[in-house]
Every structure is written in structure tokens, then in C-alpha cells.
Amino acid sequence: MATYIVLLGPPGVGKGTQANILSKKTGLVHVSSGDLFRENLKNETDLGKLARSFMDKGELVPDDVTIAMIKDRLSRPDCKAGAILDGFPRTPVQAEALQKMLANFKGDVNLVPFISAAPSILIERVSGRWTCRAKGHIYHQKFNPPVVAGRCDVDGSELYQRDDDKAETVARRINVYLEQTMPLVAHYRSQNKLVEVDGTQPIEQVTNALLAEIKK
Ligand code: AMP
């Protein structure tokens, strides 16, 4: 049966970094809703144009288009064994839609690691973040610097600072997270799927904690 892991946590806590590492260690595909939107933005698709207006303000893209995009992604052959979901679901409506789509694939959400950290830490994390232009690999100028400044270690592409990683947009994103995504913590806890992981630890320790939970 396919395995679906949902990484939950505030912006900047390290979901993308961890999903990327876990994907390599488990062989499950990393599905990031934010990366999919950014790919659409780069390719100037209709979805990208629509998403931009919400992303620039730090707001969520409407549920219906987000759900359709994820459904399409999870239907592809490389997700047959399951996926590590990063950034989706972000609202109760999306969580319900996910459950329905996974039931169609004869699957379910197996585990929901909730990576937590205080807002003051998140702002420092996000404002020092650099993202690779080609594939979205993530670096941090202090906590996880690239070997060559301004270049991705994996593919050598240019590193850039996301528009929505600016301080004022980050604050809005954290509020949106508290209002719209936090209810999912209680939702998955009531299903006994939630495990809490301290996101203030160094990257490797967070990975080890996540791997220990996955092995269980
Ligand atoms: P992220 O890379 O996960 O921080 O996402 C960047 C932006 O993409 C968010 O601030 C939202 O505008 C949009 N986005 C990503 N995932 C979702 C989602 N599940 N629902 C709605 N909007 C999303």
C-alpha cells in the first residue's frame, strides 16, 4: 500500500529542507504545493498568474485550484508508492479533499509530523533563506550555507530570495498559518496521526527524529 506523509508546520520551520532529505532516504516523492505554484509562476501559466496575486500578499491560493493541482500531481506514476507532502493540506477543506483523493488511490494519510518553532525563530529562518532557481533546493546563509556563495550545491543554478520571504509578507504568512492551518494539528491529533518534532534543533537532529517516527 502507498505511504503518504504530511509535513505540518509554520512557514520557515524547515518542511521543505526535511522533505527533500526524507525523499532521498525513503524513496518517496517530495510533493511541495509551494514549489508547484512557483513552477507555474516561472512558466507564466494561467494558474501561475492567478496564484501570484495571493502569494505576493502572503495569502493562500483558493482551495479549489490548489486541490486540483495536487490531485493532478499525486495521480502521476511517480507517486504510486506514495508521497511526502510539504505545504499541503493547509486548510480543513484541503485536508478533507486529500482524504477523499487518497481513498481513490486506496491510500490514507499515514503520518503527520508537526514540526514546531516559535514565530521569532521563523522570521530569522525565512529572511536568511536562499532558494535555487532551477529546482527549489533550499539554503540558509547562516544555518545551511551553499559551498559556493549564490550557487546551488546540487545543480549549480542561481540562488535567489523569494519575494514572499520579505519580512512584512512573512509576518502575514505566519498569521495565515495560525488562523487557517493550525486547526489541522488538532484534526490529525484526533486521528492519532500527529507526532510533534522540535523544529528548533539542527537540521540533522530534526531528520533523525522524523526518520525514527517513520520507522515506527
Ligand atoms: P510555501 O512554499 O509552502 O511557503 O508556499 C508559498 C505560497 O504558495 C503560500 O504563501 C501560498 O500563497 C501558496 N500555497 C502553497 N501551498 C498552498 C496551499 N496548500 N494552499 C493555498 N496556498 C498555498
Side-chain angles (χ1 to χ4, degrees):
M1 201 154 108
T3 305
Y4 297 94
I5 297 170
V6 168
L7 291 185
L8 212 56
V13 80
K15 297 186 299 296
T17 300
Q18 294 297 335
N20 200 16
I21 300 171
L22 292 179
S23 167
K24 286 193 193 108
K25 300 228 180 225
T26 63
L28 293 170
V29 176
H30 172 193
V31 172
S32 156
S33 44
D35 283 352
L36 290 171
F37 282 129
R38 280 183 287 278
E39 217 173 284
N40 277 279
L41 241 64
K42 193 165 79 179
N43 296 332
E44 298 183 359
T45 66
D46 288 343
L47 175 60
K49 283 174 200 154
L50 175 98
R52 181 186 295 279
S53 56
F54 297 94
M55 293 171 80
D56 281 352
K57 286 184 281 188
E59 305 284 342
L60 294 185
V61 179
D63 282 332
D64 53 349
V65 287
T66 305
I67 291 165
M69 176 181 78
I70 292 292
K71 194 170 178 186
D72 173 68
R73 181 67 191 89
L74 292 178
S75 306
R76 294 200 212 146
D78 62 341
C79 291
K80 219 171 169 185
I84 296 170
L85 288 152
D86 153 24
F88 183 92
R90 248 176 163 100
T91 66
V93 170
Q94 292 179 14
E96 201 177 314
L98 177 64
Q99 195 164 355
K100 281 197 191 134
M101 71 179 93
L102 296 188
N104 275 336
F105 306 147
K106 308 257 177 295
D108 197 0
V109 172
N110 300 92
L111 183 71
V112 183
F114 169 42
I115 312 177
S116 58
S120 54
I121 289 177
L122 302 173
I123 293 178
E124 190 192 10
R125 291 259 184 104
V126 174
S127 52
R129 172 156 73 182
W130 289 88
T131 304
C132 122
R133 187 80 71 187
K135 293 264 180 224
H137 297 116
I138 304 160
Y139 300 86
H140 189 281
Q141 58 196 30
K142 188 158 131 200
F143 306 119
N144 181 27
V147 176
V148 178
R151 291 278 149 200
C152 176
D153 291 352
V154 183
D155 51 42
S157 81
E158 179 203 13
L159 300 182
Y160 76 106
Q161 208 159 19
R162 279 168 47 178
D163 281 345
D164 63 346
D165 278 352
K166 294 189 181 116
E168 58 284 10
T169 318
V170 176
R172 178 69 196 134
R173 285 165 61 206
I174 292 171
N175 278 334
V176 166
Y177 162 80
L178 293 173
E179 284 163 17
Q180 303 194 49
T181 309
M182 267 307 265
L184 297 186
V185 170
H187 170 78
Y188 285 119
R189 186 176 279 134
S190 74
Q191 296 186 355
N192 284 325
K193 291 176 176 166
L194 197 89
V195 291
E196 207 160 333
V197 173
D198 175 5
T200 62
Q201 304 174 94
I203 294 174
E204 204 183 320
Q205 280 177 36
V206 176
T207 306
N208 290 341
L210 291 168
L211 284 172
E213 292 297 342
I214 292 169
K215 276 189 195 128
K216 280 186 203 164

